[in-house]
Amino acid sequence: MGRSDSHPTRLAGTAIHGGLGIGRVLHHQPRIVIRRVVAEDVGEERIRLDRALERMHSSIDRLLSTDALSEVGEHREVLETYVLLARDKGWINRMREAIDSGLTAEAAIQKVRDDTRARMASITDAYLRERLADLEDIALRLLQTLASDGENAGTEAYAPEGDWVLVARSMGPAELLDYDPSRLKGLALEEGSATAHVAIVARALDIPVIGRVAGLLGEAEPGDTMIVDADHGQVLLRPRSDALAQFAAAQGARAETRARYDAIRDLPAETLDGVRVSLNLNAGLLVDMSQLERTGADGIGLYRTEIPFLVRREYPDVDAQTQLYARILESAGGRPVTFRTLDAGGDKRLPSFAHDIEDNPALGWRALRIGLDHPSLLRQQLRALFRASAGLTLRVMFPMVATVDEFREARQMVELERRRAEANGAILPATVEVGAMIEVPSILWDLDRLAAEADFLSVGSNDLFQFLYAADRDSPRLARRYDPLTSPFLTVLKQIATTGTRHGCRVTLCGELAGRPVEALILVALGYRNLSMNAASIGVIKETLRSRQISNLDKFIEFLIEKNAADIRNRVTTFLRDHP
Ligand code: PEP
Ligand code: MG
């Protein structure tokens, strides 16, 4: 199969889980052809449906016990909800009713699926859309079970030889487990975001994933060769021999680079002139915690706590949160973890929460604003963090702090939770450190007061840059318009570092900036000694820092900022080349 005339194509998308993979295109959804729609014997169709349901349920149970998945993590939760959905009485009854109206089992499944699709077509709620994907997944699985059972339906499944990359519009979480993980080299989706259920499972399996690839289904034909280059947010279809050679070289280079990074894993991130920098990880799933060991990072500089809230219909209660945070701390093995309280709202709408429909969600009712308006929610989260950190260090920070008063109010809740734990005779954390994220520009004009009150500041450079330049961080059209390496932005970053130092308040930076080599060097030159980034960046940043001196770079950066120099990026790159 595949287009023999080659016709190479590159499609851009959004990286969901990094990595590089190659294989033959396998369309995830084989089309099911139903031959008979009207039942000859209603009783018989009912029996067929029940038999298929039973077989499907046990096959799902078997799938979930696969060795490739760890026993703990949010992917478990996603999969367990899926199991419940597959046993949903309402759904099963609707199919039975459709059979009673005279349809075959296959036609009944199809009808109920179409009805559900139609009912949910206009839904924009992210969680419900995920559920819809799960439901589609289950209906398809049931159809396939029936198809393998008789002659009324057949699949047009096609499984190429060798390694596969899987292509789908969207996908339910359990379906991924149908494929042999040793042959699955990548996943590309037309839809799909980092919090899609399938993405959570793919991260647990460590498969490169790329989402939002427009035009993918139309372009990728079964059997085509495809490269999933999640590191660069692209897929290459039907690559020509030169691209294949490049891929092979990239994979070789990747292995070499990885070996180099592994070799410095246990060495400090220290520049040649002795400036020591703490490198930390950004995490959001329990499975991410294993990266601490692999990368040798010093700790978790940003734990985004929202994912468990995003995958659940119900708001996780204090016990559920406590268990999760305790597991995170346990897997950190004594290394510090900075928990960020719920950063919901914006593009992260919680299923368990009545978010308003807003014209400007990025500027709307979100993050700490929700926590301050609903103190019980924030306090429950803090309570769980206190319980999980008994006898340990608790580091907690608040997202989107816009005023010092907001920080005070939030900090007061920490104090209330401390008193409550004390009154209950609970073991308290050995230390509690409370920080603020610097990502809303207004706070820049009140940094002195904030730094005097906070235990640490963490620059969320993604949002800070977006709000300073009024440029949507997710807009592909704006992606290259503004460079963060400009005098205004560097001035701001320097001001934050200097103010923190003046007050003895630790300053860290946990946006994407920290994970890019030139930017990281500049940050260190500006005074940052603590950076937090994605796991994939730790090696390259450590290697870069270990091969450089900072002493002359900082003066040069200072000079560029003072001169309000244009083209800072090029000038710094040249400087680095001339001062190897
Ligand atoms: C940021 O804004 O830079 C940040 C680290 O937080 P998030 O990317 O989760 O908004
Ligand atoms: Mg942010």
Side-chain angles (χ1 to χ4, degrees):
M1 299 239 242
R3 266 186 227 182
S4 52
D5 62 348
S6 71
H7 179 65
T9 304
R10 176 189 167 278
L11 299 172
T14 310
I16 291 179
H17 184 62
L20 194 59
I22 189 169
R24 292 200 173 268
V25 168
L26 181 58
H27 275 262
H28 161 59
Q29 286 198 325
R31 210 159 62 81
I32 302 244
V33 189
I34 297 177
R35 303 199 178 90
R36 211 161 30 82
V37 174
V38 180
E40 283 160 14
D41 177 348
V42 166
E44 178 60 25
E45 295 301 324
R46 262 186 171 250
I47 292 170
R48 291 184 61 233
L49 178 71
D50 286 349
R51 227 190 285 135
L53 277 168
E54 209 178 292
R55 282 183 44 205
M56 180 186 76
H57 290 150
S58 45
S59 88
I60 291 178
D61 293 345
R62 264 199 315 280
L63 268 183
L64 300 203
S65 57
T66 164
D67 293 341
L69 283 169
S70 78
E71 281 305 310
V72 293
E74 294 75 8
H75 60 282
R76 275 279 140 205
E77 225 160 84
V78 162
L79 293 170
E80 276 155 20
T81 319
Y82 177 90
V83 170
L84 290 182
L85 216 56
R87 294 180 186 274
D88 183 77
K89 291 225 164 55
W91 174 60
I92 294 174
N93 284 338
R94 282 197 295 281
M95 289 187 294
R96 290 197 175 133
E97 281 162 18
I99 290 180
D100 291 345
S101 77
L103 296 180
T104 57
E106 290 87 350
I109 300 168
Q110 195 93 290
K111 178 180 184 304
V112 172
R113 183 168 93 161
D114 291 347
D115 290 351
T116 314
R117 241 190 230 162
R119 251 189 311 130
M120 295 178 86
S122 58
I123 287 176
T124 51
D125 179 285
Y127 178 85
L128 289 180
R129 292 205 67 79
E130 272 307 307
R131 283 280 85 102
L132 180 62
D134 293 3
L135 272 170
E136 294 258 336
D137 190 320
I138 292 165
L140 185 72
R141 186 178 293 276
L142 189 57
L143 275 174
Q144 280 165 340
T145 311
L146 268 172
S148 63
D149 201 21
E151 71 295 344
N152 186 29
T155 64
E156 291 181 338
Y158 162 69
E161 295 288 308
D163 291 336
W164 303 321
V165 291
L166 206 53
V167 162
R169 180 175 308 284
S170 65
M171 216 173 144
E175 285 174 307
L176 203 55
L177 304 178
D178 285 331
Y179 300 90
D180 174 359
S182 68
R183 293 176 68 186
L184 200 55
K185 300 302 172 190
L187 170 65
L189 303 167
E190 263 204 18
E191 295 170 3
S193 64
T195 53
H197 290 172
V198 68
I200 290 171
V201 177
R203 276 165 84 173
L205 293 170
D206 199 17
I207 296 168
V209 187
I210 175 155
R212 299 200 201 157
V213 187
L216 175 68
L217 290 183
E219 277 290 340
E221 302 221 349
D224 280 348
T225 300
M226 179 161 136
I227 294 173
V228 175
D229 178 5
D231 291 342
H232 298 102
Q234 59 177 355
V235 300
L236 304 172
L237 270 161
R238 303 172 288 273
R240 264 199 264 270
S241 55
D242 51 344
L244 284 172
Q246 262 177 19
F247 170 81
Q251 262 199 331
R254 227 178 124 85
E256 259 173 44
T257 313
R258 185 129 174 192
R260 271 203 336 266
Y261 296 160
D262 284 349
I264 56 169
R265 206 195 74 118
D266 297 319
L267 300 177
E270 187 175 309
T271 63
L272 291 176
D273 46 352
V275 175
R276 187 83 174 250
V277 182
S278 170
L279 299 187
N280 299 273
L281 289 183
N282 293 349
L285 287 175
L286 209 47
V287 292
D288 297 338
M289 298 301 290
S290 61
Q291 299 290 345
L292 265 181
E293 200 51 44
R294 202 186 63 64
T295 59
D298 296 316
I300 304 288
L302 164 66
Y303 198 97
R304 297 181 165 104
T305 59
E306 44 274 358
I307 290 183
F309 294 82
L310 288 168
V311 299
R312 290 189 189 210
R313 185 94 205 110
E314 311 293 332
Y315 199 87
D317 62 11
V318 178
D319 283 345
Q321 290 188 54
T322 307
Q323 272 179 28
L324 176 66
Y325 304 147
R327 281 210 213 116
I328 293 166
L329 287 166
E330 193 189 328
S331 38
R335 279 173 278 210
V337 179
T338 303
F339 290 96
R340 178 177 73 187
T341 61
L342 197 55
D343 188 9
D347 60 340
K348 291 176 273 195
R349 298 164 63 82
L350 303 190
S352 50
F353 204 81
H355 292 281
D356 303 331
I357 301 290
E358 297 176 303
D359 286 341
N360 277 312
L363 307 180
W365 194 49
R366 55 175 299 196
L368 183 59
R369 299 165 186 179
I370 297 183
L372 295 178
D373 287 349
H374 284 280
S376 62
L377 296 185
L378 184 52
R379 285 195 55 183
Q380 280 173 20
Q381 186 170 31
L382 293 169
R383 195 168 309 151
L385 286 169
F386 263 87
R387 289 187 189 165
S389 316
L392 307 169
T393 295
L394 167 60
R395 279 189 190 167
V396 58
M397 65 181 176
F398 301 109
M400 309 282 294
V401 173
T403 66
V404 175
D405 282 345
E406 283 181 351
F407 179 73
R408 282 192 187 141
E409 218 182 308
R411 182 161 206 154
Q412 179 59 19
M413 291 196 209
V414 178
E415 176 56 18
L416 290 174
E417 283 308 319
R418 193 192 60 75
R419 281 191 215 151
R420 180 188 167 112
E422 203 170 38
N424 289 337
I427 303 176
L428 294 176
T431 333
V432 179
E433 295 175 13
V434 186
M437 285 198 70
I438 306 296
E439 48 185 356
V440 180
S442 59
I443 202 70
L444 296 174
W445 284 269
D446 216 351
L447 268 186
D448 264 304
R449 285 202 306 153
L450 185 67
E453 295 189 22
D455 298 316
F456 64 96
L457 304 177
S458 187
V459 182
S461 55
N462 307 337
D463 278 317
L464 186 60
F465 187 71
Q466 130 163 300
F467 294 130
L468 274 171
Y469 278 78
D472 184 342
R473 58 193 261 185
D474 292 325
S475 162
R477 276 193 195 280
L478 299 182
R480 265 176 287 281
R481 177 172 288 266
Y482 306 107
D483 187 344
L485 299 188
T486 54
S487 181
F489 196 55
L490 296 185
T491 306
V492 163
L493 293 176
K494 181 158 177 68
Q495 180 207 350
I496 301 168
T498 320
T499 311
T501 312
R502 194 162 57 239
H503 290 273
C505 175
R506 193 174 65 246
V507 178
T508 76
L509 186 141
C510 61
E512 300 299 321
L513 222 52
R516 300 187 198 128
V518 174
E519 283 82 342
L521 277 172
I522 293 178
L523 288 169
V524 175
L526 291 174
Y528 288 80
R529 296 292 177 265
N530 187 309
L531 302 174
S532 192
M533 62 200 74
N534 293 329
S537 294
I538 295 275
V540 63
I541 299 299
K542 188 187 277 190
E543 191 181 67
T544 306
L545 292 175
R546 288 180 57 83
S547 65
R548 290 276 167 193
Q549 294 203 355
I550 290 298
S551 55
N552 43 9
L553 180 63
D554 52 8
K555 292 184 199 75
F556 185 57
I557 302 286
E558 190 114 342
F559 165 81
L560 293 175
I561 295 179
E562 258 167 37
K563 286 271 169 294
N564 201 358
D567 206 11
I568 292 186
R569 182 176 297 279
N570 273 337
R571 297 189 63 172
V572 172
T573 313
T574 310
F575 179 91
L576 292 173
R577 205 178 45 225
D578 296 345
H579 299 75

